[in-house]
């Protein structure tokens, strides 16, 4: 089961990857730009889920953790795909 610490750690790692890719994406192709735009929408959802953890009840927290974990995994895969294409 994913924990708050897992999500916090994932948030920091993804933030670093995101920042690095943001610089590289400007040099990339239009296809990479489209993928980036889609991931940016997901990033907003992931950040919101991570912030919700602080105020979530134990029961609601489980749902938020699950959703955040799934979004984080999607972002990680998407960032890796873009990195490979650059």
């Amino acid at each position: 089961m994913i924990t708050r610490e897992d999500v916090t750690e994932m948030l920091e790692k993804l933030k670093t990857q995101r920042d690095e890719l943001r610089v590289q994406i400007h040099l990339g192709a239009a296809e990479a730009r489209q993928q980036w735009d889609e991931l940016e929408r997901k990033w907003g959802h992931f950040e919101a889920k991570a912030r919700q953890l602080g105020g979530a009840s134990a029961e609601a927290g489980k749902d938020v953790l699950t959703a955040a974990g799934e979004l984080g995994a999607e972002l990680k895969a998407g960032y890796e795909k873009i990195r490979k294409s650059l």
Side-chain angles (χ1 to χ4, degrees):
M1 180 175 193
I2 192 164
T3 65
R4 290 175 193 248
E5 291 78 21
D6 293 335
V7 172
T8 300
E9 182 179 331
M10 188 182 299
L11 176 68
E12 292 306 314
K13 287 180 180 179
L14 289 171
K15 189 181 293 186
T16 299
Q17 267 191 316
R18 179 177 176 259
D19 291 343
E20 291 170 358
L21 285 171
R22 183 179 315 157
V23 172
Q24 291 179 356
I25 199 71
H26 292 290
L27 306 174
E31 181 180 330
R33 182 64 182 174
Q34 290 173 345
Q35 292 173 352
W36 177 257
D37 290 342
E38 182 179 331
L39 289 172
E40 280 296 279
R41 285 189 295 279
K42 289 182 181 181
W43 172 258
H45 294 295
F46 180 73
E47 241 182 350
K49 293 289 182 197
R51 282 194 301 267
Q52 286 177 357
L53 287 174
S57 67
E59 190 61 33
K62 291 178 186 177
D63 293 337
V64 173
L65 282 171
T66 300
E70 290 171 2
L71 275 171
E74 286 180 39
L75 285 164
K76 181 180 178 186
Y79 288 161
E80 289 172 1
K81 182 178 179 181
I82 290 175
R83 185 180 302 281
K84 289 178 183 177
S85 74
L86 296 176

